[in-house]
Amino acid sequence: MSVAIDQAGVRRWMDLFAQAMSEHRQELVALDTAIGDGDHGTNMDRGMRKAIEKLHADAPPDPGALLKAVAMTLISTVGGAAGPLYGTLFLHLGAGLTDRDAIDLAAYSAAWRRAVDAVQARGSARAGDKTMVDALLPAVDALERSESLEAGLAAAAEAAREGMLATIPLVARRGRASYLGERSAGHQDPGATSTYYLFESAAEALAS
Ligand code: ADP
Ligand code: MG
């Protein structure tokens, strides 16, 4: 198996993530209906659909520019908390992945770390606040501990899944779910769930 983080790989990744947002739209809507306003699935599906349309019309030549184009679409088409937060994530990820042919594990991990730092700077969520950060942080930690890109992609997806599941008992301290206080416990966070799909898509698209 060869692992490629190049323009074609990142394009495949964004296609798979858009597909996942479409396939899991109802699941994300149901999760967000329980502890928010029910729009997370439609938000993410709409935003990624638009992003893919834009890439079909004009795909930038390097992986970083491609991710930045996705970021700009999400920022301009997705309202609510998730649009700007995913926009920030993709913008910073893209800034770290501009090299066309030499994206190794160290560069990939460093780009992810900067992206997570930026999401935290923007939304002020910490570990345990029951947000997408609870899937992001363990995934990026797992990447940094990995010894190869191939192993890192798989480990990050598994860690994101565990982080997503670990949001279930938490009481939300950020975002709309925090308005529910203790009643937010017992529900999986929608943003952590879409973030898990992002890492799952990366593992599938980049390690093929
Ligand atoms: P909205 O909450 O505006 O309706 P979405 O439903 O699309 O937006 O997204 C909700 C998700 O956004 C939450 O499940 C959570 O993971 C994430 N989120 C909300 N606020 C923050 C924040 N301050 N920091 C990080 N993630 C957040
Ligand atoms: Mg919502």
Side-chain angles (χ1 to χ4, degrees), residues 2-205:
S2 75
V3 179
I5 299 189
D6 53 14
Q7 200 261 10
V10 170
R11 185 134 186 223
R12 211 162 43 234
W13 176 19
M14 291 299 102
D15 276 335
L16 284 181
F17 181 51
Q19 205 177 307
M21 291 301 92
S22 167
E23 282 167 10
H24 296 281
R25 185 179 63 216
Q26 290 310 325
E27 177 198 356
L28 296 171
V29 161
L31 292 172
D32 196 35
T33 299
I35 56 170
D37 57 356
D39 62 356
H40 190 60
T42 38
N43 280 346
M44 294 304 293
D45 182 31
R46 190 181 64 248
M48 285 310 297
R49 222 176 260 271
K50 285 254 184 245
I52 297 302
E53 264 171 36
K54 212 160 108 177
L55 294 185
H56 276 303
D58 175 28
D62 76 77
L66 204 145
L67 288 168
K68 284 188 198 172
V70 171
M72 297 322 291
T73 309
L74 292 180
I75 290 167
S76 61
T77 63
V78 180
L85 289 167
Y86 271 103
T88 298
L89 183 79
F90 284 122
L91 205 57
H92 286 79
L93 202 53
L97 301 178
T98 49
D99 199 335
R100 285 187 206 187
D101 43 34
I103 297 167
D104 57 6
L105 176 63
Y108 186 64
S109 305
W112 266 111
R113 178 57 69 190
R114 279 196 296 271
V116 176
D117 286 348
V119 167
Q120 290 194 271
R122 171 117 199 186
S124 312
R126 298 196 201 176
D129 284 353
K130 197 181 181 95
T131 70
M132 59 195 281
V133 167
D134 290 317
L136 283 167
L137 282 175
V140 177
D141 289 346
L143 262 181
E144 288 174 348
R145 280 196 307 271
S146 295
E147 302 202 334
S148 72
L149 199 42
E150 190 180 336
L153 289 165
E158 180 51 26
R161 199 181 73 84
E162 285 166 17
M164 164 190 88
L165 293 173
T167 63
I168 296 174
L170 297 175
V171 171
R173 286 193 291 251
R174 290 282 161 195
R176 261 175 218 286
S178 66
Y179 307 160
L180 291 181
E182 299 287 328
R183 282 184 293 135
S184 62
H187 301 278
Q188 185 172 302
D189 180 63
T193 309
S194 52
T195 292
Y196 159 62
Y197 290 126
L198 179 63
F199 283 99
E200 192 198 40
S201 313
E204 201 183 325

